[in-house]
């Protein structure tokens, strides 16, 4: 999924963090069977799951577009 995410060539500023779900009991309880999972957040809003197993390009692009619109065109 990480390679597919990088292949999107998003021009919007973003960062990606890879987290070992198995190393965190709370994450393991939440995402155990859904790995790999892509969770996104912006500003002070809570994170939300965009997709799991495979990259959902439409969901990622929709999240970025909403985040950009909410920010008035500022960085995500």
């Amino acid at each position: 999924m990480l390679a597919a995410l990088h292949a999107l060539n998003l021009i919007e500023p973003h960062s990606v963090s890879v987290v070992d779900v198995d190393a965190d009991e709370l994450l393991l309880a939440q995402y155990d069977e859904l790995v790999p999972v892509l969770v996104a957040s912006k500003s002070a809003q809570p994170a939300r799951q965009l997709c799991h197993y495979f990259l959902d390009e439409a969901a990622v692009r929709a999240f970025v577009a909403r985040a950009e619109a909410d920010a008035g065109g500022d960085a995500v």
Side-chain angles (χ1 to χ4, degrees), residues 23-47:
D24 184 306
E25 290 182 26
L26 294 174
L27 293 177
L28 185 60
Q30 188 171 5
Y31 299 115
D32 184 32
E33 297 297 321
L34 302 176
V35 174
V37 61
L38 179 62
V39 176
S41 63
K42 66 169 195 121
S43 306
Q45 295 186 355

Side-chain angles (χ1 to χ4, degrees), residues 3-76:
L5 183 61
H6 288 303
L8 289 181
N9 293 319
L10 297 173
I11 59 172
E12 296 80 2
H14 63 280
S15 64
V16 175
S17 298
V18 177
V19 176
D20 183 358
V21 170
D22 292 326
D24 184 306
E25 290 182 26
L26 294 174
L27 293 177
L28 185 60
Q30 188 171 5
Y31 299 115
D32 184 32
E33 297 297 321
L34 302 176
V35 174
V37 61
L38 179 62
V39 176
S41 63
K42 66 169 195 121
S43 306
Q45 295 186 355
R48 68 183 198 93
Q49 180 180 325
L50 297 183
C51 52
H52 60 272
Y53 303 134
F54 302 100
L55 184 72
D56 182 340
E57 181 177 343
V60 172
R61 292 196 184 278
F63 176 83
V64 170
R66 273 191 310 275
E68 192 172 70
D70 291 349
D74 292 339
V76 176

